[in-house]
């Protein structure tokens, strides 16, 4: 046998196709050091560094035993449709191998990283004024959760006419929440009435009991300011 010339990286696979992995969940790989003729280099007991175009948080440094690395656990935390691992020998010049591509999907949604967003966040108190409410689910590592899950919204009133809401019941209305496969998010339309109020939108995900998303959205529904132009000009409405 000759010196180690490259590595053979074996990923978990089914039918010759690398298995899909989940962010934050360890999986095991096997690696062999081989010479230029494909022979196992049994006297290679060196250190290697394992890197990735995903974010590797566990298993990045390891020592070979008799030319092999068996059942070595790796943890990646960045989702990707084309993740790879690179094994580099620490003590050998230019001995490096990149694995096949594989998929790393997001983990389960997380209440602290998922968000509810209102655009715009200020509306005129005119029937038909609308804001798009979006729910974006992310896992604990900030990866977008791209699969459709049960999601719901709750609309409540915080203030009415500048005073604390007497009962929490909004005059604005919230339409049906729908899944957008292209954007991988959920949207609903908030429609104002002629009431001046501050409303809050809270999101939930998962089956009962649903998990409440920590970040909420608010929409301020205001009365346009009436102003008089200088030099005897006509009255006009402004919304700032």
């Amino acid at each position: 046998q000759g010196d180690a010339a490259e590595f053979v990286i074996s990923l978990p696979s089914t039918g010759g196709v690398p298995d899909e992995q989940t962010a934050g969940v360890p999986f095991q790989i096997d690696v062999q050091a081989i010479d230029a003729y494909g022979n196992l280099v049994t006297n290679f007991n060196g250190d290697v560094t394992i890197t990735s175009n995903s974010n590797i948080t566990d298993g990045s440094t390891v020592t070979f035993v008799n030319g092999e690395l068996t059942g070595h656990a790796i943890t990646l935390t960045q989702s990707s449709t084309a993740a790879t691992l690179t094994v580099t020998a620490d003590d050998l010049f230019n001995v490096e191998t990149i694995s096949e591509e594989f998929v790393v999907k997001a983990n389960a949604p997380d209440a602290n990283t998922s968000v509810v967003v209102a655009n715009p966040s200020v509306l005129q108190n005119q029937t038909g004024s609308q804001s798009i409410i979006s729910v974006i689910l992310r896992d604990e590592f900030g990866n977008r959760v791209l699969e459709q899950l049960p999601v719901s919204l709750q609309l409540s009133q915080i203030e009415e006419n500048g005073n604390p809401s007497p009962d929490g019941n909004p005059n604005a209305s919230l339409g049906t929440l729908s899944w957008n496969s292209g954007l991988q998010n959920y949207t609903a339309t908030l429609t104002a009435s002629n009431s001046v109020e501050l409303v809050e939108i809270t999101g939930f995900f998962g089956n009962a009991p649903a998990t409440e998303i920590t970040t909420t959205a608010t929409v301020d529904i205001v009365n346009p300011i009436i102003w008089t132009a200088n030099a005897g000009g006509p009255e006009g409405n402004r919304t700032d």
Side-chain angles (χ1 to χ4, degrees):
Q1 66 182 33
D3 295 330
E6 63 176 312
F7 299 105
V8 176
I9 305 170
S10 299
L11 302 170
S13 61
T14 302
V17 178
D19 295 338
E20 183 178 79
Q21 302 301 327
T22 301
V25 177
F27 62 97
Q28 294 184 339
I29 64 170
D30 297 332
V31 186
Q32 292 182 320
I34 61 174
D35 63 18
Y37 303 99
N39 301 308
L40 178 67
V41 182
T42 55
N43 62 358
F44 179 73
N45 297 291
D47 296 334
V48 300
T49 298
I50 303 175
T51 56
S52 177
N53 56 356
S54 175
N55 183 36
I56 185 168
T57 60
D58 188 34
S60 60
T61 57
V62 68
T63 302
F64 271 56
V65 176
N66 298 326
E68 294 186 286
L69 186 62
T70 303
H72 180 64
I74 294 288
T75 303
L76 303 176
T77 57
Q78 180 180 333
S79 62
S80 173
T81 58
T84 58
L85 299 175
T86 301
V87 178
T88 305
D90 292 353
D91 300 323
L92 298 176
F93 176 71
N94 207 31
V95 178
E96 178 178 282
T97 301
I98 301 175
S99 73
E100 293 180 86
E101 294 182 349
F102 58 97
V103 173
V104 180
K105 70 174 184 177
N107 210 310
D110 182 81
N112 294 318
T113 55
S114 299
V115 294
V116 182
V117 180
N119 184 30
S121 59
V122 179
L123 294 176
Q124 294 186 39
N125 64 329
Q126 296 176 350
T127 302
S129 293
Q130 295 182 330
S131 175
I132 301 300
I133 310 302
S134 302
V135 179
I136 300 172
L137 297 183
R138 297 190 178 101
D139 67 11
E140 63 179 297
F141 309 107
N143 300 307
R144 290 280 294 271
V145 177
L146 304 182
E147 59 185 302
Q148 185 177 0
L149 299 171
V151 175
S152 61
L153 292 174
Q154 176 180 295
L155 179 65
S156 59
Q157 186 187 71
I158 300 175
E159 296 178 1
E160 185 173 22
N161 295 318
N163 299 309
S165 174
D167 53 17
N169 295 325
N171 296 299
S173 60
L174 194 59
T176 302
L177 186 68
S178 60
W179 163 251
N180 300 303
S181 58
L183 298 174
Q184 282 88 38
N185 68 357
Y186 308 78
T187 57
T189 301
L190 175 74
T191 303
S193 70
N194 57 7
S195 298
V196 173
E197 57 181 339
L198 176 64
V199 296
E200 181 178 47
I201 305 95
T202 305
F204 301 84
F205 62 83
N207 296 311
T211 301
E212 181 177 335
I213 296 173
T214 304
T215 302
T216 62
T218 57
V219 176
D220 201 2
I221 303 173
V222 301
N223 188 21
I225 300 171
I226 305 298
W227 62 283
T228 301
N230 293 328
E235 278 194 347
N237 291 337
R238 55 183 296 180
T239 58
D240 57 340

